[in-house]
Amino acid sequence: VRISLEEPKGSVNSPTFEETVKGRVQLAGVTSDKNGIDRVQVSIDNGNTWNDVAGTEIWSYEFDTRLLKDGTHVVFLRVWDEYQVQGLYSSLINVDNTSPEINLELPLDDSTFTTGTVFLSGQTTDNIGLEKLYLQITNMNANQSEIPMDLAKRELTVDEIINQGIDVSSLEDGSYNLELTGEDAAGNITRVSRNIRIDTTKDPAKLDLLYPLNGEHINGMFSIYGMATSEYDIKTVSLIIDGKELATTEVLSTGYY
């Protein structure tokens, strides 16, 4: 007579619930029973199908998580001892095979900056959430000076809204590539880049006076018309005569005022 007084024990030790996995992953765990372990199986589809693992007391099973939807899933573990008494256990696994999205609105590609600040503006999205967001700046001309360490790679605040000014005053005039990288908890990575030029000899903005015409004689009440152009978004312009500000007006989206 063969008697088994308790069901065999089993557990999934890796990956842990705190981890988020992607691609091919290896489940691993242990089992135990005084009567010995006959076989071990796992199910990754809520018990609809069962698959044999490699090993018994120490076991592992490898599969492609792309078979599953992103999110949290139950892993079932089924263990038999040598007397064919069965034990059933479960664990959770977090799956994320989708790369984050980065929409970088500013700076525009091939922008020219005349001051020591480059503004980053945009949005990030990820089905679970970003873990890292960082900026890397590289030379586009081998003759330019080496990039300072704090600009070669700079960690940014992880947020859904990107709104940060980067001090680039330590960079000499020239052409550079800005690469913004987002990484989620599973290690999925998305990169976006922009080519920019720094030219401190160029005026940051240009104002063209369209009316009155140069040299024109006028009197009484009159209006002033013109156009403002810049790499930056100009909201208002002011009229200053003899050092005194006389009027301020808004600039249209077309640049006219």
Side-chain angles (χ1 to χ4, degrees):
V1 178
R2 302 200 306 176
I3 299 176
S4 179
L5 298 178
E6 60 181 10
E7 64 185 31
K9 300 293 190 297
S11 64
V12 180
N13 296 340
S14 177
T16 65
F17 179 68
E18 290 74 20
E19 297 178 72
T20 302
V21 297
K22 66 171 184 173
R24 296 197 66 83
V25 65
Q26 185 180 77
L27 304 176
V30 296
T31 63
S32 64
D33 190 85
K34 292 180 180 180
N35 299 315
I37 301 299
D38 178 58
R39 67 187 188 277
V40 182
Q41 292 182 333
V42 297
S43 174
I44 57 173
D45 59 1
N46 295 315
N48 292 316
T49 61
W50 292 89
N51 306 291
D52 293 332
V53 305
T56 51
E57 283 83 4
I58 300 176
W59 62 268
S60 63
Y61 178 75
E62 186 175 331
F63 76 103
D64 196 327
T65 60
R66 287 172 291 187
L67 297 171
L68 305 174
K69 293 182 179 180
D70 288 353
T72 301
H73 299 270
V74 178
V75 175
F76 286 106
L77 176 69
R78 193 161 62 176
V79 186
W80 288 267
D81 66 12
E82 293 290 353
Y83 288 1
Q84 299 307 301
V85 175
Q86 177 183 303
L88 182 64
Y89 304 93
S90 65
S91 181
L92 296 175
I93 183 173
N94 298 309
V95 174
D96 181 11
N97 284 297
T98 304
S99 297
E101 295 183 10
I102 299 178
N103 178 23
L104 187 60
E105 298 174 351
L106 292 175
L108 300 175
D109 208 21
D110 296 322
S111 297
T112 298
F113 292 87
T114 57
T115 65
T117 302
V118 173
F119 289 98
L120 303 179
S121 178
Q123 302 86 34
T124 69
T125 55
D126 188 74
N127 55 346
I128 293 180
L130 282 184
E131 288 283 315
K132 298 178 182 178
L133 185 67
Y134 55 90
L135 177 71
Q136 293 172 289
I137 300 180
T138 56
N139 283 317
M140 294 183 64
N141 187 331
N143 295 324
Q144 293 173 181
S145 301
E146 184 177 355
I147 304 292
M149 290 184 60
D150 65 321
L151 292 177
K153 183 177 182 180
R154 174 173 293 188
E155 300 288 341
L156 303 180
T157 302
V158 177
D159 200 345
E160 292 183 358
I161 302 298
I162 303 171
N163 184 21
Q164 187 166 342
I166 305 298
D167 184 357
V168 295
S169 57
S170 59
L171 298 179
E172 64 185 30
D173 287 4
S175 299
Y176 300 90
N177 177 261
L178 276 63
E179 183 176 83
L180 186 63
T181 302
E183 182 176 347
D184 64 19
N188 299 300
I189 290 177
T190 295
R191 295 183 175 93
V192 295
S193 65
R194 297 287 187 271
N195 294 330
I196 67 165
R197 179 168 180 79
I198 296 177
D199 185 359
T200 56
T201 65
K202 183 179 178 181
D203 291 332
K206 180 182 179 183
L207 294 178
D208 290 316
L209 188 61
L210 304 180
Y211 181 84
L213 298 177
N214 188 26
E216 183 176 358
H217 293 267
I218 55 177
N219 54 43
M221 295 290 296
F222 64 93
S223 296
I224 296 175
Y225 300 97
M227 171 172 271
T229 55
S230 174
E231 292 288 339
Y232 305 99
D233 187 17
I234 300 177
K235 299 293 186 182
T236 61
V237 293
S238 298
L239 175 65
I240 299 175
I241 298 179
D242 295 332
K244 295 182 179 180
E245 184 176 316
L246 300 183
T248 297
T249 186
E250 293 184 355
V251 178
L252 302 177
S253 59
T254 55
Y256 289 97
Y257 60 86

